[in-house]
Amino acid sequence: MTAITAGPRQRWTATLLLLVTLVAGILTGALPAQAAPGSVPATTTTTDQQPVEDPGAFAEGLSFGPELDWSTDNARAYADRTGITPSFFSRPVAYPLDDEAERSLEDLARQGASLGSLAVITLEPTESLDQLTEDDARRLAGTLNRISEEFRTAFFVRFAPEMNGTWFRWGQQPEDYIDAFRTVAVAVHAEVPTAEMVWSPSYAAGYPFTEAYGALEGRTAGAVTPLDTNGNSLIDAGDDPYQPYYPGDDAVDWVGLSMYHFGSYEFGNSEQGTTTAEDGTREYSGAITTSVLPEPDKFADQLAGTYGMAPGAPRIDFARTYAAEKGKRFLVQTAALFDPEDADSAPESDIKRAWLDQLFDPALAAQYPELGMVAWLEASRLEPEADGHVVDWGLSADSATAAVLRGTLDRTPGIIRGPVTDVVEQEDANESTNQVWQPGGTVSAVMGWLVLCVVGLFALVLLAGVAKRVVPQWSYPHEREPRDARIDLLRSWIITSVVVTHIEVAGPWSFISRNLIGTITGAELFVLLSGVVLGMVHPIAVERRGALAAAKATSRRALKLYLTALAVVITVYLLSLVPFIDASVLTTFTDRGTGGAGTEAAGRMYDLYPNVQRLFDYPPAGYAVRDLLLLNMGPWAFNIMGLYVVLTLTVPLLVLMLRKKLWWLLLAISWALYLLDAIFSLRVLNSQFQDVFPLLTWQVIFVHGVVLGFHRRAIIDALSTRKGKILVVALTGSYALVLGTLWLNHALGVGLPFVSPGFYETLYESAYVRVSLQPGRLVNLAFFILAAHVILTSFWRPISRLTGWLYVPLGRASLYVFIVHVYFVLMVGNLPGLDRSSFWQGFVIHAVVTLVIWVMVRKKFLFSVIPN
């Protein structure tokens, strides 16, 4: 924080940087992007392809997707490099699932959801096949079903692929393999309607692979009798390389085959490409020449089962036998090898262009309409076939090969491009964090509670009037002091309610924080009272130090708040990288059905850190930097901070207008902006808060708060007169009477002539929705502030004695409490064995967290660093 305490020039330079950043955000967020491919997030990719209604089916067409090196790469980065949105992404996952494997599945679905891409998973057994249990399969199915519902995605499950080879621990064990596959298939089919089981052996040239490169030690063919399909008592090239491993039509939804272009097989002792068999097929002699162009029609020959087959080996047209004739679709797992250490290698782009041309040959697609998916391996790794060199299988790392891929897909008819399912836009993610009732809930319940709260508060207002006369010593005694303890107590009550709400566990505190004041939430009161406090404090600074010095001080405070917000965003993400910390409680948000996507989106999980991994690129992607600087990423429990930073910057101008007695013009401008946003829904800043707290809408309560704070003394004096008291009772009573009458008319079916049928049922969604701060909500906010002032004034001493020890210190450091509560949300989210539905656990957790924060405030823990 040294920059904050530097000299005037440095301070104003930093402030100017903040203002430039915000202006840049307005421009880049509001104007259409005019950028080259790869310079904007992949979520901006558009397509004419309609989302697939049954993503797991892919009844026709051919789609393309990569299997990434997920330890160093991510879906968005791939889409940005290539300029395309794949229809699926593929990822290997250890099986049986452990916690790390479940996180990998969630990560795959989360990254794909932001692009509208599906998920292909390769289950790689880490135990012997005969040790895999039904419980393992049920855990897998339950996990896939949950993730599928949360991210609205579909899974293609490749179980233990290349099982006919000798290079995996599950290889060439047909009986155990079939049992294990069927066990998984039964569980998946029963519980995951959006999952497809994929059976995927390896192409059989060289079968039974007794001298295969990379074969496991001790893994030799011939040990299992079922592999002898031709009955000659030998396991040799004449045996069927596929049928012994087939789990059955009922267990298999898709079939697949691994068909890589390692290079060219050497056939006999002749030159590359020479055929030796009478039928014209190329026969494998056991050697491979790497980093060469694929022979013409190599992929077609592989599909037909003729390429590289030894004399006497069966010629099996896999696609026809196992896909077309069984009514199934076909997934090809593939890539083309390039060895950068081979001085005689053909150019990489030529190798991969030639292979892509064969994979996407329209004539071949017409011949084999069952071809449905091409999964390309994106990896650099050591390969025994290339003399142990590290080779490049991928297409996206090099701009030339990425261009080859784009060109191939662009000119291939019938290609299915992403998005193929609902794209989870970042605006949807931001809006989902709105935790209040929205259309689709029970109207009678929410309106009934609203009416009860309003009538109850009005009754307390009347009781406060009696208390003022009967026990005047209870009244607030410090009316003339510059600091108002009533505001501190109210702010504390609000901020502790926010803490309780964000720590999502059951208990009495949760019920109180969510329900005690009807439809008013901590957000409205936080913004309003922040305006009140700044409207009180800034004029004092102006009087003491002058307008310019006060403006500089407020700007420095806004800068410190902004830097603090960046620090919270960054530290939460860094904590998410710690292996034993699960930060998803903050970095993701599960839709409650309250956001813009409606109740149908309930259960969908959103990523609140879009593009964050692109910040680690060199140079980092410009839009990722913009997302960070404009706070378009970060914990959902913290998103209102961006709004507070922007509104704080406006305070010097607002107070200047008030000092010039232009309050009427200020309020007119504020209401004009509110109405403008209500009509046109303007996205002023490309920031996370904008979707939950639209700036031009929410400024109206902040501006009114500043006006109230500036004229606080005059307003209180006016309300304390006889006429003022009558006015307060009349206003609050009228509102309570109107709502009470509407409720009685609805509940008792009175049928009042001046109330149109159905009016009550539509009242909430037409007047009380929070995000847009509809008029009814503003009236409710005004009613609550009036009622709270009267009640706290008349009952101050008993309320203060009962709660002041806790609430007043917290209220005076409410901003500090709001900042540190983010880390308490994270800590509670990582408590082992926590039952979030437990009443007593919730009671204890909320109490302990509140008291710990209270102790931190009393000890002024990190007050010199954290704004308070």
Side-chain angles (χ1 to χ4, degrees):
M1 294 299 175
T2 54
I4 297 173
T5 58
R9 179 175 299 178
Q10 290 84 353
R11 292 197 295 266
W12 275 100
T13 300
T15 302
L16 180 62
L17 175 62
L18 171 59
L19 294 174
V20 169
T21 300
L22 294 173
V23 171
I26 294 174
L27 295 177
T28 55
L31 298 179
Q34 305 289 337
S39 64
V40 293
T43 47
T44 63
T45 301
T46 58
T47 176
D48 294 330
Q49 170 71 32
Q50 295 297 313
V52 178
E53 292 184 4
D54 182 5
F58 276 131
E60 58 183 21
L62 182 60
S63 62
F64 175 86
E67 178 182 311
L68 304 180
D69 179 356
W70 295 93
S71 64
T72 60
D73 205 356
N74 64 82
R76 190 179 301 277
Y78 175 88
D80 294 340
R81 291 195 304 272
T82 60
I84 65 169
T85 301
S87 52
F88 66 90
F89 286 90
S90 180
R91 183 168 189 161
V93 176
Y95 181 79
L97 299 185
D98 54 18
D99 292 343
E100 181 179 355
E102 288 194 355
R103 286 194 294 269
S104 295
L105 289 174
E106 290 182 354
D107 183 58
L108 175 64
R110 182 182 301 115
Q111 293 193 40
S114 68
L115 302 173
S117 304
L118 305 181
V120 175
I121 61 170
T122 297
L123 296 182
E124 299 183 338
T126 56
E127 299 178 1
S128 300
L129 291 174
D130 59 358
Q131 297 298 310
L132 301 177
T133 67
E134 292 182 0
D135 287 341
D136 297 331
R138 281 192 289 268
R139 177 176 180 177
L140 169 70
T143 300
L144 293 181
N145 189 53
R146 172 178 58 81
I147 295 174
S148 179
E149 291 180 353
E150 289 176 351
F151 294 101
R152 299 300 193 268
T153 192
F155 288 97
F156 296 81
V157 182
R158 295 175 71 232
F159 177 79
E162 302 179 23
M163 78 302 297
N164 57 339
T166 57
W167 44 88
F168 289 125
R169 62 184 300 163
W170 57 84
Q172 296 192 351
Q173 304 167 60
E175 293 175 326
D176 289 339
Y177 174 81
I178 289 174
D179 287 343
F181 188 104
R182 292 186 64 83
T183 298
V184 172
V186 167
V188 168
H189 286 157
E191 193 166 345
V192 195
T194 56
E196 305 283 291
M197 290 297 300
V198 184
W199 174 66
S200 184
S202 177
Y203 181 65
Y207 185 82
F209 310 115
T210 54
E211 297 177 358
Y213 284 107
L216 298 178
E217 183 177 353
R219 175 75 72 209
T220 58
V224 182
T225 302
L227 298 181
D228 179 19
T229 61
N230 61 5
N232 65 354
S233 299
L234 298 173
I235 310 302
D236 56 19
D239 291 312
D240 190 318
Y242 307 125
Q243 186 59 41
Y245 310 92
Y246 186 63
D249 293 346
D250 60 330
V252 175
D253 302 306
W254 278 58
V255 298
L257 203 60
S258 296
M259 293 189 287
Y260 294 95
H261 172 59
F262 281 93
S264 290
Y265 293 125
E266 295 180 8
F267 300 103
N269 296 316
S270 303
E271 295 295 326
Q272 175 190 331
T274 302
T275 59
T276 57
E278 294 181 0
D279 61 2
T281 59
R282 303 181 179 94
E283 295 175 350
Y284 175 47
S285 67
I288 301 176
T289 302
T290 57
S291 276
V292 295
L293 299 178
E295 304 91 334
D297 301 322
K298 174 179 179 179
F299 182 59
D301 290 347
Q302 287 182 327
L303 287 175
T306 62
Y307 180 86
M309 291 298 178
R315 270 53 169 172
I316 300 172
D317 189 325
F318 185 90
R320 294 209 185 282
T321 302
Y322 289 97
E325 294 178 6
K326 295 179 180 292
K328 304 183 186 301
R329 303 219 68 205
F330 184 26
L331 181 153
V332 176
Q333 180 75 20
T334 192
L337 181 150
F338 167 70
D339 184 358
E341 299 182 49
D342 185 351
D344 298 324
S345 173
E348 180 181 13
S349 59
D350 290 349
I351 294 172
K352 293 174 181 178
R353 177 185 292 107
W355 191 234
L356 284 169
D357 286 344
Q358 292 194 30
L359 292 172
F360 293 99
D361 182 357
L364 199 63
Q367 183 181 354
Y368 291 96
E370 54 271 19
L371 282 172
M373 304 173 78
V374 173
W376 188 285
L377 176 65
E378 285 283 331
S380 293
R381 65 189 187 192
L382 184 148
E383 291 291 353
E385 288 85 350
D387 296 328
H389 296 166
V390 175
V391 305
D392 182 7
W393 289 102
L395 288 165
S396 66
D398 181 77
S399 59
T401 53
V404 167
L405 173 62
R406 284 196 303 273
T408 301
L409 298 182
D410 286 344
R411 64 174 176 268
T412 303
I415 288 291
I416 300 174
R417 296 175 181 265
V420 295
T421 187
D422 291 340
V423 177
V424 179
E425 299 286 358
Q426 192 57 34
E427 289 80 3
D428 294 335
N430 298 341
E431 289 177 8
S432 74
T433 63
N434 177 27
Q435 292 180 290
V436 296
W437 184 91
Q438 288 281 32
T442 305
V443 177
S444 59
V446 70
M447 284 302 300
W449 183 255
L450 167 61
V451 173
L452 179 62
C453 289
V454 168
V455 173
L457 282 175
F458 177 66
L460 287 176
V461 168
L462 296 178
L463 187 61
V466 175
K468 189 80 171 178
R469 292 176 176 273
V470 176
V471 280
Q473 65 271 23
W474 283 4
S475 297
Y476 184 70
H478 309 297
E479 287 288 4
R480 296 297 167 183
E481 293 187 4
R483 181 143 202 158
D484 195 325
R486 290 168 296 188
I487 295 177
D488 291 333
L489 191 144
L490 191 56
R491 292 175 78 196
S492 177
W493 181 57
I494 293 163
I495 204 64
T496 52
S497 295
V498 169
V499 173
V500 167
T501 301
H502 289 171
I503 297 177
E504 297 180 305
V505 291
W509 308 116
S510 292
F511 178 82
I512 293 171
S513 66
R514 291 180 182 273
N515 298 292
L516 186 59
I517 52 177
T519 61
I520 296 301
T521 65
E524 292 105 304
L525 291 169
F526 176 81
V527 173
L528 177 68
L529 292 180
S530 295
V532 170
V533 171
L534 290 173
M536 293 165 55
V537 172
H538 189 81
I540 296 175
V542 172
E543 293 293 335
R544 292 176 178 175
R545 292 180 286 175
L548 182 59
K552 289 181 178 180
T554 300
S555 298
R556 287 196 299 270
R557 178 169 175 79
L559 177 61
K560 185 174 183 179
L561 293 174
Y562 172 69
L563 295 176
T564 302
L566 285 178
V568 171
V569 170
I570 293 170
T571 55
V572 167
Y573 178 71
L574 293 178
L575 287 171
S576 75
L577 302 179
V578 178
F580 57 85
I581 296 178
D582 180 8
S584 61
V585 68
L586 287 171
T587 61
T588 66
F589 191 80
T590 301
D591 202 316
R592 277 68 161 156
T594 62
T599 55
E600 293 182 357
R604 177 185 293 175
M605 185 175 286
Y606 301 95
D607 183 6
L608 300 179
Y609 274 80
N611 308 315
V612 66
Q613 291 176 314
R614 301 308 312 278
L615 291 171
F616 296 94
D617 295 347
Y618 184 80
Y623 60 81
V625 175
R626 185 193 69 180
D627 279 348
L628 174 63
L629 293 180
L630 290 180
L631 304 178
N632 196 32
M633 59 176 71
W636 62 270
F638 195 66
N639 53 18
I640 200 174
M641 191 66 172
L643 174 68
Y644 185 60
V645 169
V646 175
L647 292 176
T648 300
L649 284 171
T650 68
V651 170
L653 177 60
L654 301 183
V655 171
L656 176 64
M657 295 182 69
L658 292 172
R659 284 171 56 82
K660 292 184 177 294
K661 300 182 179 181
L662 296 175
W663 59 268
W664 56 271
L665 178 59
L666 175 59
L667 294 182
I669 293 172
S670 178
W671 278 103
L673 293 174
Y674 171 84
L675 294 174
L676 187 67
D677 204 26
I679 297 170
F680 298 106
S681 298
L682 301 175
R683 186 179 174 85
V684 179
L685 284 170
N686 190 31
S687 302
Q688 194 181 75
F689 76 83
Q690 178 69 49
D691 299 297
V692 188
F693 311 104
L695 177 60
L696 295 186
T697 293
W698 280 69
Q699 56 77 30
V700 75
I701 55 177
F702 181 80
V703 169
H704 280 69
V706 172
V707 174
L708 289 173
F710 186 87
H711 294 292
R712 178 181 69 96
R713 186 70 269 145
I715 293 172
I716 290 177
D717 287 344
L719 294 179
S720 299
T721 64
R722 180 178 179 83
K723 291 182 179 179
K725 294 175 181 177
I726 293 173
L727 180 62
V728 169
V729 172
L731 291 175
T732 55
S734 298
Y735 183 57
L737 178 63
V738 169
L739 286 184
T741 301
L742 291 173
W743 179 82
L744 287 171
N745 182 64
H746 169 76
L748 304 179
V750 176
L752 294 175
F754 52 84
V755 180
S756 61
F759 176 76
Y760 182 85
E761 289 81 352
T762 61
L763 183 58
Y764 188 94
E765 59 192 77
S766 63
Y768 286 94
V769 173
R770 189 191 77 169
V771 171
S772 54
L773 286 181
Q774 291 178 321
R777 203 167 190 93
L778 293 176
V779 172
N780 213 55
L781 178 60
F783 166 83
F784 177 80
I785 288 298
L786 276 175
H789 171 74
V790 172
I791 294 167
L792 287 175
T793 298
S794 297
F795 295 103
W796 174 253
R797 287 195 183 277
I799 291 175
S800 177
R801 287 173 182 172
L802 182 64
T803 65
W805 65 273
L806 174 69
Y807 280 150
V808 171
L810 293 178
R812 290 176 177 174
S814 59
L815 191 58
Y816 172 92
V817 175
F818 180 72
I819 293 168
V820 301
H821 99 281
V822 174
Y823 300 97
F824 283 92
V825 172
L826 180 61
M827 283 189 283
V828 172
N830 282 269
L831 289 178
L834 174 64
D835 181 2
R836 291 185 176 272
S837 63
S838 169
F839 180 91
W840 292 110
Q841 288 187 36
F843 174 84
V844 171
I845 287 172
H846 286 145
V848 169
V849 168
T850 303
L851 289 174
V852 169
I853 295 177
W854 177 79
V855 171
M856 293 169 64
V857 169
R858 294 302 299 264
K859 298 295 184 181
K860 297 184 178 181
F861 179 71
L862 293 179
F863 266 34
S864 61
V865 177
I866 302 173
N868 53 80

